[in-house]
Amino acid sequence: MSGYHGRILDLNLSSGEMKEEKPEPTMLRHYIGGSGLGARLLMDNTDGDTDPLGPGNILIFATGPLTGSRVPTSGRHAVLGKSPLTGVWGESDVGGNWGTALKKAGYDALIIRGRAPHPVYIHLDEEGARIENADHLWGQDTFATEVLLKQEKGEGIEAACIGPAGEQQVLLASIMHDGRHSRAAGRTGLGAVMGSKNLKALSAEGQRSTPLAHPGELKKNLGEKVRGIRENLVFLSDYGTTGGIISLEETGDLPIKNWLQGKWPQVEALSGEKMAETMLKKKFFCGACPIGCGREIEYRSEKFGPIMGAGPEYETVSTLGSYCLVDDLEAVAAANELCNRYGMDTISTGAAVAFAIEAFQEGLIGVEETGGLHLDWGAGEAVVEMVRQIGEKKGLGALLGRGVRAAAAEIGPRAEEMALHVKGLELPAHDPRAFNSVGLSYATSNRGACHLAGMTHALEGSIPLPQLGYPEIPDRFGTGGKGQLVARMQDLMGLFDSLKLCKFLLFAGIEVGDSLNWCNLVTGWDLDQKEFLKAGERMFNLKRMYNVGCGISRKDDLLPPRVLTHPRGTGGAAHNLPRLGEMLREYYEYRGWDEMGLPTREKLEELELEYPWEQ
Amino acid sequence: MGTIRVEVELKGPLARLAGKEQLEYQVKSEALIRDLLGLIGQDFPALQRFLPGDEGEQYGRHRVLILQEGQPVKLDQKLFPGMRLKIMPPLTGG
C-alpha cells in the first residue's frame, strides 16, 4: 500500500477506547486522502442531526498519500468535523509540520469522538497513542502549550493545540500547529469542536517513512520541479503572502472598510516589503516546502509591547487591516499575535471586528456594548482590544465570537447588511466584484465563503492552467463559462487538499499533470486524468450531499447583498457586480445537479456515491 | 523598421529595487513585451530575478504581474506606440 501506512486510528475520548482500521484500497483510490478521505469518514459518522459541539461530532485529522514524501509542499494535513460556526460541512487544510509528524508516527488519519471527562491531550508515536492528562495545559495559550508539551515529550514532537478560545468554545476558534509559527486549521470553528471534547492538544513524533511505489523516478522528477518552483515563486519567498497586496488593491480585489470602499492608498503600509523593513526576523518553511512564505517576526512596539511569532499573512493584514481601515502594521501584527495565541481564525475574527466597527458607526451598538471602547475606522488599538474580547469571550467579544451571522441576528435587521458571510462563514479577502468566478466559488463552496476551495482568483488574476482547459487567462468580469470554470477548479483543488499539496504550486505552473504524476509515482496507481478528476468531482459531491443532509440547497448558494448590488465605485473593479444567478444556473447544469442545487441520482451513480432518497 | 516609445511604471518593491518608478524605452516597432523585459533586466540587474525567463511562459507566472489597462498581458504581445505597462508584485495572498 504505497503512499499510506494503512492505519486509521479511531479514538473515543468518552471511553478511552481505541481501535485501528485498515482503509480499503478502493476507498483510498476513490477518496485519495486528506480532505477526500476525511469527507468519507465524516459522512459515515455524522449527519444533519449531529450537534457540532456534542460528543457525537467527530474530529478528523487526515494526511494524504504525499505527506511524508519529498513532494514539494506535501507536509500538510486536513482537519474536518461538523462546523459549530456554520452548522454544515467543516474543514480546514493546514501546512506546517504536524501532518508530517502524524504520518511519521505511522498513521494516515485520526478520528476523535466522544468527550473526555477532564482536559486531556493525545500523544502519538510509533508505539501507538496515549491519552494524557492536560489539566496543567488548560488555560495556556498556544505558544506556551507547545513549549510545555516539548518539555514533557521532547523537542522532537510536533504539536497541534487549541488556545483559550477553543477551550471556551468560541465559534471562531482554530486549531493551531507548530507553536509560534502558528500554522492554523483556521476556518469553520473546529477549535471549538476540539474544546468541546476537552481535548487540549495532540503531540506526534516518529520516524516511519512513507512507502513510495517508484522512489527513483520520483526523485528524478522532483529535482527539476523543485528548481522551477523556487524560480517562479521567488517573490512569494522574498516578501511572503503580503508581498502582493498592492497589486490586489490595484485590481480591486482587496476588501476595504467592510467591503464599502474601492481604493485605499495606505495599503503599502501593510505590505510584505514594509514587514521586511520593520519586523521580519527570518522566513520559515512548512514541511517539504521549497518556497518558505512564512514570516517570523520580532518587534518591540511602544503601543503594544513585544510582538513575536508568525507575522500576519495576506488574509490577516486584510481582515484586521484594510477591512477596518487600519494602516498600522504594528496594530495588525499585535492583533494577529493575539489571534494566534488565543487560537482564532484571523479571517473570521477580523471580519467580525470590521462588522462591529460599522455597526458602531451606524449607531446600532454603543459604548455600553463595547465596554467603553470607541470602534472607529482605522483605530488600531480598538481593533486589538476587540480581538482580546473575542478571545476571552467577554463583553461584545462574546457575541462577535459567534460569527457575524449570529451577531447580526442579535443586533437587529439593519446589521444584517453589514454581516458578510456565506452559509455562516465570513468572507475572506478576495472580492467577487473583482473576479466573477470568486463570487460563484464563495456561493457554492461546501464550507461557506472560501477562497481556497476554488482558488479561481489565481486563474482569473494571472495564471493560465492549460491542462485544466484554460490556456488563456479568462476575462475576470465575464459571466459565460464561469460555471464550468469554478466546478473544474473546485474539483482540482479538492485533489490538492486530498493529496496534500499547497495551492501556491498553481503559481509555479503545477496543476493537473504534475499532481496526477506525483500521485501515481507515490501510490503506484495508474490513474489517468479522467479518473483523477473524477475523484475530485466525487469528493466535492460527497461534501455537497453532507450539506444537503444539513438542509442546504439553492437558497443557501448566495452572496451577501453588499457584493451583489453595491459596486466598489473606484479602483480596478469599480463598476463590476457578479451576475450570480446566471453563473449558478450554468454551474448546476455542468455539475449535473437539479435546479434546487441537489445532485441528481444519475450524477451520484456515475460517481459511485449513494443516493439517499428513494422516489 | 522604426522605433516606438513605451512607458513602464514599476510598483512597490520593484520600484525600490530599480531606484525609480517611471521608465521610458525606445524599442523596435516589432518588439514584444518579452523583449522589453529583457531590456529592463539589463538596465536594472536587481530586478532580473523577478522577471520572467525565456521558458515559453505566456504571462510570466508568479514572478511579477504585468498589466496594461488593468489586465494581464502576454509576454509575446507586441508593443505599440505609447503603450503604458505596469509591472507589479504578483497577486499573492492566501
Side-chain angles (χ1 to χ4, degrees), chain A residues 238 244 247 250 273 471-472, chain B residues 16 49 58 74 86 89 92-93:
Chain A
D238 280 12
S247 300
E250 173 89 12
E273 187 187 19
E472 309 285 339
Chain B
R16 250 78 72 192
R49 60 200 295 261
Q58 282 199 91
K74 286 186 176 179
K86 280 186 183 174
T92 50

Side-chain angles (χ1 to χ4, degrees), chain A residues 24 94 104-105 110 116 151 176 210 248 264 301 379 535 550 569 600 605:
Chain A
E24 291 294 323
V94 58
K104 284 179 179 286
L110 182 60
Q151 284 172 4
M176 307 302 292
T210 298
L248 292 151
W264 195 49
S301 162
C550 296
T600 60
E605 284 175 357

Side-chain angles (χ1 to χ4, degrees), chain B residues 14-84:
Chain B
L14 301 169
R16 250 78 72 192
L17 287 167
K20 58 201 296 190
E21 288 183 10
Q22 304 292 335
L23 311 178
E24 278 188 25
Y25 280 90
Q26 200 75 29
V27 297
K28 289 179 186 169
S29 59
E30 295 296 308
L32 309 176
I33 288 176
R34 190 185 295 279
D35 303 323
L36 175 66
L37 296 180
L39 295 174
I40 294 172
Q42 282 173 22
D43 291 349
F44 303 98
L47 295 183
Q48 186 71 60
R49 60 200 295 261
F50 299 110
L51 298 174
D54 186 21
E55 300 152 20
E57 293 174 16
Q58 282 199 91
Y59 294 91
R61 292 208 179 120
H62 207 45
R63 298 188 191 203
V64 287
L65 180 66
I66 307 165
L67 298 178
Q68 189 222 341
E69 292 184 356
Q71 297 302 320
V73 292
K74 286 186 176 179
L75 302 184
D76 287 330
Q77 189 173 323
K78 265 191 190 174
L79 298 167
F80 59 78
M83 191 177 198
R84 302 173 73 167

Side-chain angles (χ1 to χ4, degrees), chain A residues 226-254:
Chain A
V226 167
R227 191 167 52 251
I229 292 165
R230 282 205 183 103
E231 287 173 1
N232 278 299
L233 298 184
V234 62
F235 202 98
L236 185 60
S237 178
D238 280 12
Y239 294 102
T241 58
T242 59
I245 194 168
I246 61 169
S247 300
L248 292 151
E249 193 267 350
E250 173 89 12
T251 53
D253 189 35
L254 177 75

